Amino acid sequence: MSAEIVIPYNDTERPDTGLYNAKLGVWLFLASEVMLFGALFSSYILLRVSADRWENGAEILNVPLATLNTMVLIASSVTMVLSWAALKAKNFPRYRLCMGLTFLAGVGFLIIKTLEYGAKFEHGIRPADSTFMAIYFTMTGLHALHVIGGMIVNGYLLGPGAKMWFTEPRRFTNRIEVAGLYWHFVDLVWIFLFPTLYLLPGK
Amino acid sequence: MSTEHHPEAIHKQVSLYWKIFWALAVGTVLTVAVSFFHGWGVIIAVIVALIIAAVKGSLVAGYFMHLFHEVKWIHGLLLLTAVFFVALIALVMWTVADQQGQAHGIFIVPQKHVEPAAKGGGH
């Protein structure tokens, strides 16, 4: 004899919070992520203010490539939210198109990042060279890991995970919404990383 | 977030998302453009960069993450996070303020000069 355990509020909102489980869980996770990146940003401030010399990011880093990467990530945020809107409109083919574009934008972002890192290593620039390069590689590296994490989730929701649409469409739509919350957060972090590392003048 | 399913409402939302995209794109170009303006000091440059980033961030959080229409539980959670985040930054700022008037900061790391010529990207 087996008893089926049903976890409540997977696809419907709890009456008291007005939230389904996954959304509350992901927002709690994002709160911890704010503190993680917040710690790195505060480290950046402390290191920069304490250093007797600080590189001008625009002179060492590739601003055009980083600007392109910013555009790619912004575009991916739009396609991500459009994939959710497509499911709301019950348009599964459009969802696949938008989510596919989001995934490709993630690939594009990582390719550009790899080109950027590759050029640094070719010129013998390593994280140990200066505090600026150390914090640059730490922050952008951690961010790139987050992009990879988001792509794994998005890839799953684009491929095998998409089957859920045909059995539990509302729950699947919720999954896309929370995956989107994470992806937009990754975009949000880059919006602050870009000017901080690439554009602020040195001293 | 509203669970609105009406095609017209969804169409309006999609149209709004594209407007936000263009606003973010313009914001990005503006961020880069103002960085070429060397007339102001570091403090002003930091403030301008942070203001543009904050506006762009608000658009992403408010519209793409639906924060403007989210329930109070989420707003409360983020308010608590913001308090801890501000405390984290404030601790650093106080530490920095303690160093005012001293010849060096607390973490002096020998710096190797990185040549600007090493900037290239796609090769």
Side-chain angles (χ1 to χ4, degrees), chain A residues 13 16-19 23-24 27-28 30-32 34-35 37-43 45-56 58-65 67 70-71 74-75 77-79 81-82 84-90 115-116 118-120 122-125 128-133 170 177 180-182 184-185 187-188 191-192 194-196 199-203, chain B residues 1-7 10 13-15 17-18 20-22 24-26 28-29 31-33 35-36 38 40-42 45-47 49-50 52-61 63-67 70-74 77-78 80-82 84-86 88-89 92-93 95-96 99-100 103-123:
Chain A
E13 288 84 13
D16 50 358
T17 61
L19 296 163
K23 190 189 266 192
L24 183 58
W27 271 112
L28 283 166
L30 292 184
S32 74
V34 168
M35 297 312 290
F37 280 101
L40 283 174
F41 273 103
S42 63
S43 301
I45 295 169
L46 190 61
L47 291 170
R48 181 183 169 120
V49 175
S50 300
D52 52 356
R53 194 173 60 77
W54 195 260
E55 279 92 346
N56 187 346
E59 284 180 4
I60 306 168
L61 307 176
N62 195 321
V63 175
L65 271 189
T67 307
T70 307
M71 292 295 191
I74 288 170
S77 254
V78 180
T79 53
V81 78
L82 289 180
W84 171 78
L87 291 181
K88 282 280 188 189
K90 300 190 178 1
L115 289 174
E116 231 189 307
K120 296 287 163 295
E122 260 182 40
H123 287 94
I125 300 174
D129 285 349
S130 69
T131 312
F132 175 83
M133 292 316 299
R170 188 164 176 177
E177 185 180 15
L181 288 176
Y182 173 81
H184 301 314
F185 175 79
D187 182 19
L188 199 56
I191 283 173
F192 284 93
F194 174 52
T196 303
L199 302 177
L200 287 186
K203 68 175 187 179
Chain B
M1 180 60 201
S2 162
T3 52
E4 189 62 74
H5 284 73
H6 296 301
I10 293 169
Q13 266 184 320
V14 168
S15 167
Y17 294 147
W18 279 113
I20 302 298
F21 166 73
W22 289 113
L24 291 170
V26 169
T28 302
V29 172
T31 309
V32 177
S35 75
F36 285 109
H38 300 295
W40 45 43
V42 175
V46 170
I47 291 171
L50 281 182
I52 298 173
V55 170
K56 287 170 68 185
S58 303
L59 290 174
V60 171
Y63 291 103
F64 290 169
M65 299 173 86
H66 313 132
L67 210 52
E70 218 23 290
V71 297
K72 63 180 179 183
W73 275 76
I74 299 297
L77 170 68
L78 289 178
L80 192 63
T81 309
F84 281 103
F85 180 80
V86 169
L88 190 67
I89 301 293
V92 171
M93 299 310 282
T95 307
V96 168
Q99 304 297 312
Q100 294 295 319
H104 298 291
I106 56 171
F107 297 130
I108 300 301
V109 182
Q111 308 287 301
K112 176 181 161 185
H113 183 66
V114 179
E115 288 297 330
K119 179 181 170 182
H123 50 84

Side-chain angles (χ1 to χ4, degrees), chain A residues 147-162:
Chain A
V147 172
I148 292 169
M151 284 173 62
I152 291 170
V153 173
N154 289 348
Y156 173 75
L157 293 170
L158 183 63

